[in-house]
Amino acid sequence: MRAALAEVPDGDLTVIVGGDCAVDLAPVGAALSAFGNRLALVWFDAHADLNSPQPSPSGASHGMVLRALIGDGPEGLRPAQSLPAQRAVLAGARSLDPGERDLLGRRSIRHLGVAQLAGPGPSWTRCAPPAPRRCMSASASTSSTRRS
């Protein structure tokens, strides 16, 4: 997959279709190469995919993909450039192993559970790095940018 993506000219639309999360390693790695630390990743999955080979209940590589993308995974799975963990958002995960829960806290990975994604809720505010003066405010009905 990495070799095939390397042949795609910069700026060309690329569509990747696969059977499990491991297919995401190469395209996210390519996006990291193109955008570096400007890239943010929202990982929609019922599972966190933050396992490592040692404590993984199944040992399956598709359960380690997000961990590999943030630079903590097995050697052969990690991209050339890792995604800063603070730039990842885990969305919709409902099944996390104890080691994955621990890693979420240690690496400051934001987790939005199923209930938080199920419908309109309270608004949230988050400052967008690297310019802390630019903040985004959003709710179910409005979205705006304001200067503080």
Side-chain angles (χ1 to χ4, degrees):
M1 175 81 72
R2 288 177 178 144
L5 281 172
E7 294 180 23
V8 176
D10 287 342
D12 276 11
L13 175 65
T14 306
V15 177
I16 307 294
V17 179
D20 70 30
C21 295
V23 75
D24 296 321
L25 288 165
V28 173
L32 280 163
S33 294
F35 299 103
N37 289 340
R38 295 178 298 147
L39 183 71
L41 178 67
V42 180
W43 192 261
F44 287 92
D45 200 311
H47 306 98
D49 297 341
L50 289 168
N51 278 309
S52 64
Q54 295 78 21
S56 172
S58 70
S61 63
H62 66 262
M64 304 176 201
V65 177
L66 185 54
R67 188 173 191 134
L69 291 171
I70 63 169
D72 286 345
E75 180 68 35
L77 294 180
R78 291 191 309 254
Q81 179 179 351
S82 297
L83 177 75
Q86 303 84 343
R87 306 283 297 163
V89 176
L90 181 58
R94 58 174 169 68
S95 177
L96 286 84
D97 297 323
E100 292 176 313
R101 287 187 192 282
D102 180 57
L103 187 68
L104 283 175
R106 283 189 294 113
R107 296 295 305 273
S108 301
I109 299 170
R110 185 168 180 167
H111 175 219
L112 300 173
V114 174
Q116 293 168 290
L117 300 174
S123 63
W124 55 267
T125 301
R126 182 175 188 281
C127 290
R133 297 193 60 167
R134 214 173 70 215
C135 294
M136 300 294 292
S137 292
S139 69
S141 60
T142 63
S143 178
S144 64
T145 302
R146 61 179 160 82
R147 297 246 181 233
S148 51

